[in-house]
Every structure is written in C-alpha cells, then in structure tokens.
Amino acid sequence: MCRAVELSADLVLHPLQVAGHAESIFTCPEGENCDAPCGRKLLYKRWQAAGRGARERGFYGSAAAAAAGSLLPAFAGVATRQEERFLALEDVTAVYSAPCVVDCKLGRRSWYDGARKTWVEKCAAKDEACRSREVGFRLCGAVVCEASDAAGGSEVSERLGKEWGKQAGARGRAGVAEALAEVLRCSSGRRRIREGGAGCQGGDIVEELLSGGLRERLAALEAWCTGAGKRCRINSASVLILFEGDAKAAEANGGRRPELKLIDFAHSFVEANDDLPYDTNFVAGIRGLLSSLEAAALLQQPGRQSRRRRTSQCVVAAAAAVAWLLSRRRDF
C-alpha cells in the first residue's frame, strides 16, 4: 500500500461525484502528476470534521477493511495540501472509458444509536421518505457517461441526484426496481445517443451486469459482513455499482466489467458495542439491493417494456414482490 504525501498541485472537483457532501471529492488536474507516488489514479476526499475523518481513516486502515480486499477502494493514506487534509483513495472510475455509476446507501436505517440527535432526525426523515425499511436501501444518485469521440473520450450524458432517488423510494420496492431498470441500460428515450457513434448502446443490461459479476460481488460483501467483518457496524455507507458505458470498449475488454465498491465510513465502527452476530441492518441492505436488481432484470425481459407502458404499476409491483420473496427465503 502506498502512502500519499504533500500535494504540490491544485486539485479540481471530480466530475463523476455522484452523491455525498457537495464539493468533497477531488482529483488531479489533467496533465498533473500528483498521483505519482502511488502509481495509480487517485481521488481525494475532503477530511470531515468532528471526528468523522479520523473514524473513516481508521476504518480504511483496519484489519477488517484489509480482509474485505477489493470490495473497498484501495486506501493510499492521508494527503495534505497546505493545511487541508484529504483521504487518498483509488479512483474506481479510472479503469472505464465511459464510466457509469449508481450510488446506493445500504441499510433499512442510515442512523445509529448514540449519534447526534439532529443528525438522527435528518437521517430518519430521509429513510422514511424513501421507504428504506421496506426496500433495504435508498438510491442516492447516478452518473452515466457515453463515448464522445472515436479517440476514446467520454462525457456525462445523464446525471441523476437525490430527488431521483427520493421519487423512486417513495413508491417502495416497485419504484426502486423501475428506477434501476431505467438507469441500468444503454439506450433510453431520455438519453442522447450519438447517431453512428460508439456511445452507451446495447439496450437492457441488468441481467448482463448481474451475471457478469454483480451477484458474486454482493455475495462476497455479505460473506464479509457475516464473517471477517461481523464486528463492524456500517452506518450510512454506500455501495457504488460501476460498469462500462462505451459499447466498443466493452467489446474490446470482454464485457462491461461490472463492479461493486463499498465506500463512506464516516459513521461506521470497526468494533461493535452490541450483541448482534453481525450487522443485520447492513446485510438487509445487501439483500434488498440484490432483490431490486433481480426485479429490474425481470422488467427488462423481452416484451416487458411495452407492457409496462400500459400497466406500469402492476408489472413493476409484481416483479419487485417476486424478487423480494425469493430473497427472503434466507433468514435474517
């Protein structure tokens, strides 16, 4: 593991920050070599106040995080610039020509006992509005990129924020499944597709992403939570779903390379102070996300879209309910 050092270059806002505190994720300016000590592309997350930055740094440096391996971004230590500190982390979007990212905050509740009352109230209100207890997680945002030229450049073609997630969550499991079915595809009436270009094309791809690795990654995350990470309590953390949005790059690299990364540990603890066998709240989020992705895949089956336009609510609710019941066959 490398260790980040004093940054000599100015930083710029990362263009693909999906959610979280505004203007909190940075990267090196194009042409600058401030990532050189690590030999990989990094991003820099602004250090949070009131002990949260230290807590997150401690989590990334823990034995439990090491056991999670590639489920977390690689941690490069603490970088400084003048008097400001940053967590230096692997830029998990850097391996894609046209990155597509969906941010999902896992857990039926995003707060924890003993936290500041005003923060708990704020989190509880969001959880209720997005029906997190029912769904198991909430959608925080998404960024979709497409190829912009033949030389491998890309640009953001769609950016969805908290309001998108709130509107989806307000409709429960059905709304979330439909929202995932809409964003996890490479052709949409809302998305601009360049005529004759190599943009984000290929139709409905949820099942491709699941069978291409997302099912395995979610299973690995649950295995870690109930095994090496069972003493961890992961509050208000997110997983990023990532995949390649450039069809030509996907073809050249053998697929869309779906990936799952667990991030944001400012409210997480390495050692639990309860008697639970593992973090049941977070594991419920993992299972809820899997069931919603399975429901989204059902919605994208051939012929289902035209039917959905005629009877949208019934179809979505039925697909989400079936997937949820299948996932509940395992006891919490």
Side-chain angles (χ1 to χ4, degrees):
M1 183 191 302
C2 67
R3 282 290 179 266
V5 294
E6 174 73 20
L7 295 167
S8 58
D10 290 332
L11 296 176
V12 296
L13 291 174
H14 197 294
L16 300 180
Q17 179 176 351
V18 179
H21 297 286
E23 300 186 358
S24 61
I25 307 297
F26 299 85
T27 188
C28 294
E30 187 173 355
E32 295 287 347
N33 201 27
C34 57
D35 300 333
C38 292
R40 71 173 77 198
K41 183 68 174 176
L42 300 178
L43 59 77
Y44 300 90
K45 181 178 180 179
R46 194 190 299 276
W47 189 271
Q48 295 190 48
R52 296 188 298 273
R55 185 182 299 142
E56 187 162 24
R57 186 257 174 268
F59 194 98
Y60 273 113
S62 69
S70 64
L71 289 168
L72 277 62
F75 176 54
V78 179
T80 57
R81 186 179 185 280
Q82 299 176 355
E83 297 182 358
E84 191 167 13
R85 289 183 290 176
F86 303 86
L87 291 174
L89 301 166
E90 172 191 10
D91 185 346
V92 296
T93 68
V95 299
Y96 299 100
S97 297
C100 300
V101 188
V102 181
D103 187 313
C104 309
K105 191 176 291 292
L106 296 191
R108 292 180 293 188
R109 71 176 196 179
S110 57
W111 52 275
Y112 57 95
D113 293 328
R116 192 175 72 255
K117 181 180 179 181
T118 53
W119 182 77
V120 169
E121 292 173 347
K122 180 179 178 181
C123 290
K126 291 179 180 179
D127 293 342
E128 182 177 0
C130 294
R131 295 169 65 174
S132 296
R133 184 169 182 81
E134 171 193 343
V135 179
F137 69 99
R138 72 172 184 257
L139 295 171
C140 294
V143 173
V144 176
C145 293
E146 64 177 14
S148 59
D149 54 56
S154 66
E155 63 184 10
V156 174
S157 61
E158 188 166 26
R159 188 181 294 272
L160 302 168
K162 294 179 181 179
E163 189 60 32
W164 166 72
K166 183 178 179 180
Q167 290 177 2
R171 295 171 50 224
R173 293 190 296 269
V176 170
E178 186 169 354
L180 286 170
E182 287 293 333
V183 76
L184 295 177
R185 68 157 52 112
C186 283
S187 60
S188 169
R190 296 177 300 153
R191 188 169 303 149
R192 177 170 52 84
I193 301 296
R194 293 179 178 273
E195 184 177 357
C200 190
Q201 301 173 14
D204 300 331
I205 59 169
V206 176
E207 182 55 43
E208 178 186 345
L209 299 178
L210 283 168
S211 59
L214 281 187
R215 282 193 187 92
E216 291 182 6
R217 296 294 276 173
L218 284 165
L221 181 58
E222 181 172 339
W224 173 77
C225 287
T226 57
K230 66 183 179 181
R231 297 303 300 160
C232 297
R233 295 298 176 262
I234 306 170
N235 306 298
S236 203
S238 289
V239 293
L240 300 180
I241 297 172
L242 304 108
F243 66 95
E244 178 62 72
D246 183 338
K248 285 188 175 179
E251 183 177 359
N253 292 311
R256 296 192 182 276
R257 294 184 291 172
E259 184 56 278
L260 190 85
K261 294 289 182 178
L262 177 61
I263 62 167
D264 293 345
F265 304 109
H267 300 281
S268 296
F269 300 89
V270 175
E271 189 63 31
N273 61 355
D274 58 54
D275 297 326
L276 294 174
Y278 53 85
D279 192 334
T280 54
N281 176 63
F282 190 75
V283 169
I286 298 171
R287 295 175 181 176
L289 177 56
L290 176 59
S291 71
S292 291
L293 287 168
E294 298 282 9
L298 288 175
L299 289 174
Q300 289 188 349
Q301 287 179 354
R304 187 66 62 94
Q305 291 180 46
S306 60
R307 192 180 310 127
R308 186 177 67 227
R309 280 191 289 268
R310 295 193 301 269
T311 57
S312 175
Q313 293 297 326
C314 293
V315 172
V316 176
V322 168
W324 177 257
L325 288 171
L326 289 173
S327 74
R328 297 278 289 191
R329 289 190 298 182
R330 294 172 293 177
D331 292 332
F332 276 38

